[in-house]
Amino acid sequence: MSTPSESGLPPEWEVRHSNSKNLPYYFNPSTKDSRWDPPSGTDTEKLKTYMAQHHTTPALRQDGSHGEHEGKIRASHLLVKHEGSRRPSSWRESTITRSKDEAMGIILGHEARIRSGAASLGDLAVSESDCSSARKRGDLGWFGRGEMQPEFEEAAFGLKPGEVSPVVETASGLHLIERKA
């Protein structure tokens, strides 16, 4: 649990951990309201720092597959949403108002840092991705064809393990994808 001053959440809200999804979520004990996205009035900069320090997993080890993932790949991503995204909110911001052009500028900056070696996709995803997978360094786990949005799937399956995609646009927003396996 967290205090509002350190987490950036409004009074009475706290961060808890979902055992079923193995992810943190936001909870208000007085109203019993729970949600995956931060409530209105959240200081998103404080929340980003708090979540990066207290609610991330260590780097995930490579999975030695023995056939149980046949036909599937494993990928991580960094998502930057914009006002035209199908759900313009995230764990970082309750309402996303940036334009698509602004989002493109942000994600191109992230791509430049990754390609220069200044940061890894996983390191950036922890504090900069608008997807709840940020808590797992952007890791989406194993998935097969037909499980992701078509543009995302095409890009992810077109990568070799270790490669990072150029910017991929979907209804969710703008992504950088790193194929893990």
Side-chain angles (χ1 to χ4, degrees):
M1 294 197 294
S2 61
T3 64
S5 60
E6 70 176 336
S7 69
L9 292 170
E12 299 194 22
W13 283 90
E14 56 191 46
V15 179
R16 291 198 175 172
H17 195 83
S18 164
N19 291 325
S20 61
K21 297 214 181 256
N22 196 28
L23 290 172
Y25 66 97
Y26 308 101
F27 183 72
N28 184 325
S30 62
T31 64
K32 306 292 186 225
D33 186 22
S34 66
R35 53 189 336 191
W36 294 109
D37 296 326
S40 289
T42 298
D43 179 333
T44 56
E45 288 306 309
K46 271 189 177 179
L47 181 61
K48 278 172 43 174
T49 302
Y50 177 81
M51 295 303 281
Q53 291 173 346
H54 301 285
H55 289 279
T56 59
T57 57
L60 298 164
R61 58 187 174 84
Q62 291 291 330
D63 185 299
S65 177
H66 297 289
E68 69 269 25
H69 301 296
E70 196 165 325
K72 295 187 174 194
I73 64 169
R74 185 174 186 173
S76 296
H77 79 135
L78 188 156
L79 170 66
V80 178
K81 291 184 176 185
H82 51 81
E83 62 191 355
S85 296
R86 71 175 172 188
R87 199 174 57 79
S89 65
S90 76
W91 70 271
R92 298 174 61 229
E93 298 175 74
S94 55
T95 304
I96 294 174
T97 58
R98 74 177 70 90
S99 70
K100 188 173 174 181
D101 286 343
E102 289 171 311
M104 183 62 80
I106 292 167
I107 201 159
L108 288 173
H110 296 327
E111 181 182 23
R113 291 188 66 205
I114 292 164
R115 298 212 187 279
S116 74
S120 71
L121 185 142
D123 290 342
L124 289 174
V126 166
S127 62
E128 303 303 321
S129 182
D130 286 318
C131 181
S132 60
S133 69
R135 297 159 184 139
K136 298 183 288 183
R137 300 176 53 82
D139 190 352
L140 297 169
W142 293 92
F143 59 90
R145 294 204 179 268
E147 295 181 44
M148 298 290 179
Q149 293 174 49
E151 306 90 345
F152 189 98
E153 177 182 300
E154 183 180 336
F157 274 87
L159 296 169
K160 293 181 178 81
E163 288 183 335
V164 175
S165 73
V167 176
V168 176
E169 184 177 343
T170 70
S172 297
L174 306 174
H175 309 257
L176 292 172
I177 306 165
E178 180 178 11
R179 183 162 170 183
K180 298 302 220 177

